[in-house]
Amino acid sequence: MESHPEFYAARALLEWQVELGATEAICDTPINRFELPEAQPKAAAASGAVAPAELPKGPQPAAALAVDAVAVARAAAQSSGDLAALSEAMATFDFCELKRGAKTTVFADGSPDARIMIIGEAPGRDEDSQGKPFVGRAGQLLDRMFAAIGLSRSAPDPEASIYITNIMPWRPPQNREPSPEEVAMMMPFVARHVELAQPDFLVLMGNTPCQALLGRKGITRMRGNWTTALNKPALPMFHPAYLLRNPQAKREAWHDLLMLQARLRGGS
Ligand code: URA
């Protein structure tokens, strides 16, 4: 057998498949999926893919079967009439790979009636296990920062409270940055979240929400400069995780907190 050339060809093919990540044989005979009449749509974030309602009936070429995850997210977000419905819509949205590795869907914490809505990046390990945003070390610093200007996520009075969420509700593996495709498919949910909570001001914590909502990053230059995101006045600030690594930057963060406080009190 080993001297037969087909053996080497077959072994090379098998090695190639193993390298690609195929770890088990599912069928004895190959299936031509191009000829399957009722193939299931696959999730894909690729632009140009179609929303499910737009799929024509009958057999489709494989390329046309990719569902536009952004369109699905947009439809789910738009049909959510309140925050509870939005939270449920996010928890049942199955097109983002990050969900598979996460224990919980981290929606929000604090008071939805607060005047300030803080938007961070994504849950870490502590947030994933507790199902709440910003509860680890960075979150504890965030709490201390806002307490310094008299605000807290547990305050019952909307004037004294904050509302906290993230761009991404699922923890990325090894706390990597969410990819542009992952962010794109969650954006309709973030936009609807802001629309339903109706805060007076947004605080964008670090580069990820700046890139997602303003289309640019460079937090060192952007922080402390009021801008507009989702039709709301928005203040980019250093992420508290950055402040833990760079305590000398707390001085700028304090400056930004005072700006925010002045704006809350009706100043410029
Ligand atoms: N960092 C974030 O951006 N969000 C969290 O919830 C926790 C850490």
Side-chain angles (χ1 to χ4, degrees):
M1 171 75 175
E2 292 221 5
S3 61
H4 202 291
E6 279 174 16
F7 167 83
Y8 294 103
R11 193 170 71 176
L13 273 174
L14 188 61
E15 282 169 1
W16 179 65
Q17 292 193 2
V18 169
E19 222 172 89
L20 289 179
T23 51
E24 61 183 303
I26 296 173
C27 303
D28 290 338
T29 49
I31 297 173
N32 184 347
R33 295 186 186 275
F34 289 93
E35 286 176 1
L36 288 181
E38 293 290 341
Q40 291 298 306
K42 278 197 316 180
S47 60
V50 288
E54 294 162 3
L55 283 173
K57 302 259 179 300
Q60 298 299 311
L65 287 172
V67 172
D68 182 343
V70 178
V72 175
R74 203 177 296 125
Q78 279 311 317
S79 64
S80 301
D82 57 24
L83 291 171
L86 185 69
S87 167
E88 179 62 20
M90 285 168 72
T92 52
F93 180 75
D94 281 332
F95 293 88
C96 183
E97 284 291 311
L98 295 181
K99 186 179 180 190
R100 294 170 191 243
K103 284 200 196 89
T104 56
T105 300
V106 177
F107 182 66
D109 196 23
S111 168
D113 298 325
R115 296 182 63 201
I116 295 180
M117 182 167 179
I118 297 167
I119 305 182
E121 178 179 309
R125 192 191 50 209
D126 296 318
E127 290 77 19
D128 183 39
S129 49
Q130 293 186 42
K132 285 185 184 176
F134 282 102
V135 291
R137 273 187 74 221
Q140 288 156 21
L141 176 57
L142 179 142
D143 284 342
R144 290 197 299 278
M145 287 161 63
F146 282 86
I149 56 165
L151 304 177
S152 138
R153 67 173 95 192
S154 55
D157 174 7
E159 289 287 328
S161 68
I162 48 180
Y163 187 52
I164 310 172
T165 189
N166 283 309
I167 292 290
M168 181 56 62
W170 299 293
R171 180 192 183 196
Q174 276 89 46
N175 296 337
R176 68 158 168 80
E177 266 183 37
S179 71
E181 292 75 20
E182 288 159 354
V183 169
M185 71 176 83
M186 299 318 289
M187 284 311 295
F189 292 111
V190 177
R192 185 73 179 141
H193 204 158
V194 171
E195 209 168 66
L196 290 168
Q198 279 300 345
D200 291 340
F201 305 107
L202 297 177
V203 173
L204 310 180
M205 283 298 184
N207 272 321
T208 297
C210 288
Q211 179 65 51
L213 298 175
L214 304 171
R216 60 202 149 91
K217 53 186 185 183
I219 193 67
T220 309
R221 272 175 289 108
M222 292 167 77
R223 59 138 283 276
N225 293 300
W226 281 100
T227 181
T228 304
L230 300 171
N231 298 318
K232 300 283 174 198
L235 184 65
M237 281 186 65
F238 281 137
H239 193 287
Y242 175 84
L243 296 174
L244 287 172
R245 295 192 303 272
N246 301 277
Q248 76 284 358
K250 285 183 182 170
R251 183 188 157 95
E252 280 90 3
W254 177 236
H255 169 271
D256 299 347
L257 285 168
L258 291 178
M259 278 179 71
L260 187 60
Q261 187 182 46
R263 194 77 186 253
L264 277 175
R265 290 176 174 170
S268 57

